[in-house]
Amino acid sequence: MKATARATSNIALIKYWGKRDITFNLPATGSISVTLDGLATTTTVEFDEGCESDEILLNGAPAGDAGARVTKFLDLVRAKYGVSAHARVETHNDFPTGAGLASSASGFAALALACNEALSLGLPTPALSALARRGSGSAARSLLGGFAEMLPGTSPDGADAYAVPLADPGHVPMNMLIAVTSSGPKKVGSTEGMQRTEETSPYHPAWVAATTQDLDAMRRAIADAVLEEIGTLAESNCLRMHASMLGARPPLLYWNSATVAAIHTVWGLRERGIGAWFTIDAGPQVKVICSPIDAKAVESALRNTPGVTDVILTAPGAGASIVESVS
Ligand code: DP6
């Protein structure tokens, strides 16, 4: 009845920003990501008939707002699999929570896997990925290692909306450097931000159309392991997502001045002949893709960028795993 799982963040190369259904949390388009070897969440779940309500600790303290999302997810698991017990959940992130470092991705992937183990549900990976999606769309991809594609599916209940593997972590030799420009929580979360964009940005339909084309191109670029193509597509797709956010009312701008400075650093590196490309999620951090050969030069350029407070070096990594299981 007790299990601990570990999952790492994934960063989308082709983004998910919009839903075809809110109840089942179904994405409007597919997305393609790379799961990282760092930025880990470790979560222990213990279902206990003696617990009167769910007890949720995040980094050792009561979880607050994030706890409400966990309870909602546990309610769903209980209803779906006929479980009555409440749970004690202890979760630790080894990176800043809620600041655009994909803590909900690693968090709900670890939680779904720990629930599967603690309750002996025996779900196969696609079903587990679809379950994690109910917590957070991007979490569906963190169950898998390396490069993964989230399928939007067509079924109304999302049974076919899950992530599938595209390539192993070592298939494309690359690093992803994360330039941290702020460690505070973001003002508008992804769920609210994408809904606002869908409802108010005139650029949203164009974003959906462009993403569908980008998915085909990215699938090919990953299969051929062409880093320049992967980076070029990822950077363009990210900018188009942010362009559609800027068109929302009220507008959504997740960047700060250091975010913009880091963009110029990356473009400056390219002018000097160093292959580096950025992607940015719903937060101010800048994630930079480059070849391992160039990682030192890219790291030093990012560290020298005004407003960048830290640089985290990551690479493609393995999928979520069970750390411990006690029955
Ligand atoms: C910009 O997965 O956090 O990181 O499903 O509403 O929880 P919900 O959204 P979430 O959105 C991630 C948005 C993104 C792009 C991406 O990871 O694909």
Side-chain angles (χ1 to χ4, degrees):
M1 289 304 262
K2 181 174 173 179
T4 303
R6 179 180 186 273
T8 53
S9 284
N10 71 79
I11 302 298
L13 302 169
I14 302 298
K15 308 290 186 194
Y16 146 55
W17 195 254
K19 301 182 200 275
R20 71 175 168 93
D21 178 87
I22 291 179
T23 311
F24 290 96
N25 202 27
L26 300 171
T29 65
S31 54
I32 292 180
S33 62
V34 56
T35 296
L36 303 179
D37 63 354
L39 306 189
T41 299
T42 305
T43 297
T44 301
V45 179
E46 182 175 22
F47 286 91
D48 183 346
E49 293 290 353
C51 265
E52 282 183 9
S53 61
D54 295 323
E55 294 165 21
I56 297 143
L57 294 179
L58 172 59
N59 295 329
D65 284 356
R69 272 180 89 175
V70 171
T71 301
K72 201 173 148 207
F73 183 83
L74 294 171
D75 284 344
L76 183 123
V77 169
R78 279 187 283 260
K80 209 168 154 108
Y81 301 105
V83 176
S84 56
H86 285 100
R88 263 185 292 277
V89 177
E90 261 194 73
T91 186
H92 289 272
N93 287 337
D94 67 1
F95 58 94
T97 299
L101 287 177
S103 55
S104 66
S106 53
F108 282 104
L111 183 63
L113 186 59
C115 286
N116 183 48
E117 183 73 15
L119 295 169
S120 304
L121 301 177
L123 297 177
T125 307
L128 249 183
S129 169
L131 178 64
R133 187 203 73 234
R134 298 292 299 271
S136 189
S138 50
R141 303 181 309 234
S142 268
L143 260 322
L144 301 166
F147 298 82
E149 177 167 3
M150 176 72 197
L151 307 175
T154 52
S155 98
D157 69 353
D160 55 356
Y162 51 76
V164 294
L166 287 182
D168 291 340
H171 179 70
V172 185
M174 63 172 257
N175 280 118
M176 187 173 273
L177 291 109
I178 301 168
V180 179
T181 65
S182 158
S183 59
K186 58 193 171 201
K187 287 200 185 78
V188 182
S190 299
T191 310
E192 185 188 337
M194 63 178 87
Q195 192 174 349
R196 187 190 300 176
T197 309
E198 276 182 295
E199 286 170 0
T200 65
S201 175
Y203 309 135
H204 185 70
W207 152 254
V208 170
T211 296
T212 308
Q213 288 177 8
D214 285 350
L215 283 167
D216 290 338
M218 183 61 86
R219 230 178 275 123
R220 275 197 303 276
I222 290 171
D224 298 344
V226 183
L227 191 62
E228 182 169 1
E229 187 65 11
I230 294 171
T232 304
L233 283 165
E235 190 175 296
S236 161
N237 183 265
C238 144
L239 287 171
R240 286 173 176 183
M241 176 182 76
H242 286 274
S244 80
M245 294 169 173
L246 283 171
R249 280 189 184 161
L252 285 162
L253 176 60
Y254 285 104
W255 304 354
N256 58 33
S257 56
T259 312
V260 178
I263 290 174
H264 286 292
T265 295
V266 170
W267 285 342
L269 283 163
R270 287 220 295 275
E271 273 165 22
R272 285 163 45 204
I274 296 175
W277 300 268
F278 65 82
T279 183
I280 304 165
D281 292 298
Q285 332 297 0
V286 181
K287 292 110 184 184
V288 183
I289 299 161
C290 67
S291 156
I293 296 162
D294 295 323
K296 277 230 150 56
V298 174
E299 179 173 357
S300 124
L302 289 171
R303 283 197 188 279
N304 286 325
T305 301
V308 170
T309 54
D310 195 11
V311 178
I312 306 167
L313 176 69
T314 68
S321 60
I322 293 295
V323 177
E324 201 184 354
S325 181
V326 183
S327 52

